Structures are given as C-alpha cells and as structure tokens.
Amino acid sequence: MEIFVVSVKLGLTSFGGPIAHLGYFHNEYIRKRQWMDERSYADLVALCQFIPGPASSQVGIGIGTMRAGLLGGLIAWLGFTLPSVIALVVFAYVLTGLDISQVGWIHGLKIVAVAIVAQAILGMGQKLAPDKIRASIAIAVAVISLLWQSVFSQAALIISAGLMGLVISRNTEVQDAPALNVPITRTFAAFCLTLFFGLLIALPILRHHSSSEWVALFDSFYRSGSIVFGGGHVVLPILEQEVVPPGWISKEDFLAGYGAAQAVPGPLFTFAAYLGAMTKGVFGAILATIAIFLPAFLLILGTLPFWSALRNNRHIGAALVGINAAVVGILLAALYNPLWTTAIIDSADFALASILFLLLVFWKLPPWTIVMAGMIGGTLLELF
C-alpha cells in the first residue's frame, strides 16, 4: 500500500518526460524515504540506460521490486502508469485540435520540470561527481551529448565513461556498493530474459499465421517496446510506422494523441493506451499498454539479480565511478535540451523557474505544491 500511494502520487505529478521523472523519483524515493542509497540509485539508472525500454519506468519497477518483491515492482509500475493511461484515454479526444503549446498551465508544468531536474542534478552531483576528475567527466559527457545527438550516443558515452572510471580508479580502492535487496532468483531472471527473446521471435511468426487483429496489435506494441533505446520520444516514429500505414489510425489522430501525451504526467509510453483505444476501444488500450511495457518488465527483472552481483566486482565498481559521473552529465545535458530549450522562452519563464527552484531546494516544499505553483504561474504568464 505504501508503494502504491507513493507511486500514484508520482504518476499524478511527474511531468516533463523521462529525465524529469528520474528527478521526481530521486526526490521521493531517495531523499525523502531513503529506500535506496545515492550510489545504488545511480547504478540502477545506469543499468536502465543500457537496456531497451522506458528508462524511468524501469527504474520505478526496480525500486518497487527491491522494496517489496515482484508485487512491489508491479504496484510501483501500476501506480506510476495508471493515471496517465486513464488521462490519455479520456483527454485525447478533448485535446484533439488544441494547440498544446498555447495552453498556459502546460507551459508552467514544463518550467516545473526544469526546477525538479536541476534539484536532482545538484543532489546527485554532490554525491557522484564531487571531485575535479569526476566533475570533468560529467561536464564532458554533457557537452558531447548536446553536440552529438543520436540513438547510440548515450550508450557510447556511458561505455566511454566506464573505461575512464577504470583508468582513474585503477590505483584507488573502490568502496563496495551497499548490498541491494533483490528478491529474485537468477533462475527466475534467466526465465524472464528467455521469455523476452522468445516473444520477440514468436509473435511475428504467430501474427503471420494468424488473422487475429488482437495478435497483430500485441505484436506491434511489444516489438516497439523491445527495440527502443533513449526514452519515450524515440518510440514515436516506430509506433507511427506500426499504426498509421495499416490504417489503424489516421496521421492527424496520431499527432493529436501525441499532443495529449505531452500534457499529462507519467511515462510517454502510455501513448500506446491512446492508440489502442482509438483502434480497439478500452480493451485495445489495456492490451496495447501491457504489450509495450511487458519488455521493460522482463528486461529489468531479468538483469537485476546479475547486476546486483556484478556491481561489487572490483573492476565493475571502478567502471561505475565513471558511469555514475556520466549519468550526472546526461541529466545536465537534458536539463538544457529538451527541458530548458522548450520551457524557458523569455525572462519571465526564467523568473518563474528560479522561484520554483528556491521553493523546492531551500524552502523544501513538497513537489505537488511546486507542480500547483507552476501551473498557476504558467497560467498567469499566458494571461499577462
């Protein structure tokens, strides 16, 4: 129940995309409740950057699993995801034809995301990049991320940072990471990985030999969730190719739904709920949501037990010194693009962001009050 209440609160307030979600998670799970130490959180974020799927959702699933087993992981995902699923199924039709960029309170929520991520960078940077070498790695990763933007850049930078960690820590004693409570056996983890690849191979074959539109729907969304690196926005062109050419949904309705997805909290992968609803109603929304998130579940459950053991290996621990600094750099780059570039348009936006940051970091107001203040501030900026 504790996990469900906290994750629902996050699902209702986590605006701004996957990087912003990591900031909300850090504030709620790490700073306030201390369910995990800073290094373990950064290690989990690094793992979720390596594997396909929605990184922020996988981080939430991982935290829930380590807190309360498989049911905890499921509840953490359900609480974080359900609000945006319901909102998209209901609101997509209302928002069709509306210019999202002109809605003041939505712009205010983008400014909130800037303040939230800035707070996360401040906290994680103090722990994970406290010296000049690791701070330099973080800044270098941020600069290169901004100048070289591709599907592979993030993975390449994390690997490079890991190699740097091996170099800078080769003569330094690396402290063992605190033990992770992963209540999953390696046998079950291996089963999850086998099932992930088995479905990836079997579903297209089953679709080819079946005339069922439900099988086709599940296959399309499962494959989309299986091959995406880099977060929710990367999945959009893949989903468009899956649903528009077959005539399941028009391009205009696809774009209208994408606009609605930007206006609601939670993971962008819940855009699948909108597409499923437009294709097959409520049951289509449920099936599409399960299909696109199932690979994320199987991969995080399949890798966590092995990751828990590997992270205390001396060489892996040294690599993680650099990788964790790189995670800070990736967050720093994302603070500028896309968050800052889309939210801070003029001096009034900067003033509002500064006030929200002050209230969050120094006055230590809860995030939901910052969200409300951002919505009100964005509305006032639009009016005046």
Side-chain angles (χ1 to χ4, degrees), residues 39-65:
R39 178 176 168 185
S40 295
Y41 179 71
D43 289 353
L44 179 60
V45 172
L47 170 63
C48 294
Q49 302 289 348
F50 271 121
I51 58 180
S56 59
S57 294
Q58 287 169 316
V59 169
I61 294 167
I63 293 173
T65 300

Side-chain angles (χ1 to χ4, degrees), residues 196-209:
F196 167 77
F197 288 107
L199 288 173
L200 195 59
I201 295 170
L203 281 173
I205 298 173
L206 181 61
R207 179 178 184 172
H208 179 72
H209 294 284

Side-chain angles (χ1 to χ4, degrees), residues 17-18 54 88 151 220-221 223-225 227-245 249-251 253-262 267-275 292:
L88 278 174
V151 176
S220 290
F221 285 95
R223 279 189 294 105
S224 298
I227 60 177
V228 170
F229 291 87
H233 292 280
V234 183
V235 80
L236 293 172
I238 298 173
L239 286 177
E240 184 179 15
Q241 288 302 309
E242 292 290 340
V243 300
V244 175
I249 186 173
S250 69
K251 190 173 183 66
D253 286 339
F254 182 91
L255 294 174
Y258 175 51
Q262 304 299 306
L268 192 56
F269 266 49
T270 54
F271 181 41
Y274 168 88
L275 298 175
I292 201 167

Side-chain angles (χ1 to χ4, degrees), residues 2 48 120 172 182 189 215 222 282 312 334 368:
E2 180 189 23
C48 294
T172 305
V182 183
V215 171
Y222 182 85
V282 174
N312 271 324
W368 70 267

Side-chain angles (χ1 to χ4, degrees), residues 139-150 153 157 329 333-334 336-337:
I139 296 298
V141 167
V143 170
I144 297 172
S145 294
L146 292 170
L147 297 178
W148 175 39
Q149 297 185 3
S150 76
S153 60
L157 287 169
Y336 176 73
N337 185 25

Side-chain angles (χ1 to χ4, degrees), residues 2-83:
E2 180 189 23
I3 293 173
F4 184 70
V5 170
V6 175
S7 60
V8 166
K9 186 173 86 167
L10 287 167
L12 290 169
T13 58
S14 295
F15 294 89
I19 298 298
H21 298 162
L22 297 178
Y24 284 96
F25 287 177
H26 180 268
N27 184 73
E28 197 69 36
Y29 290 135
I30 311 305
R31 292 183 66 253
K32 288 181 64 176
R33 288 175 170 77
Q34 298 180 348
W35 286 2
M36 186 182 291
D37 63 277
E38 292 278 359
R39 178 176 168 185
S40 295
Y41 179 71
D43 289 353
L44 179 60
V45 172
L47 170 63
C48 294
Q49 302 289 348
F50 271 121
I51 58 180
S56 59
S57 294
Q58 287 169 316
V59 169
I61 294 167
I63 293 173
T65 300
M66 287 183 279
R67 181 71 175 170
L70 292 175
L71 182 59
L74 178 62
I75 291 298
W77 169 79
L78 189 65
F80 182 58
T81 306
L82 193 59

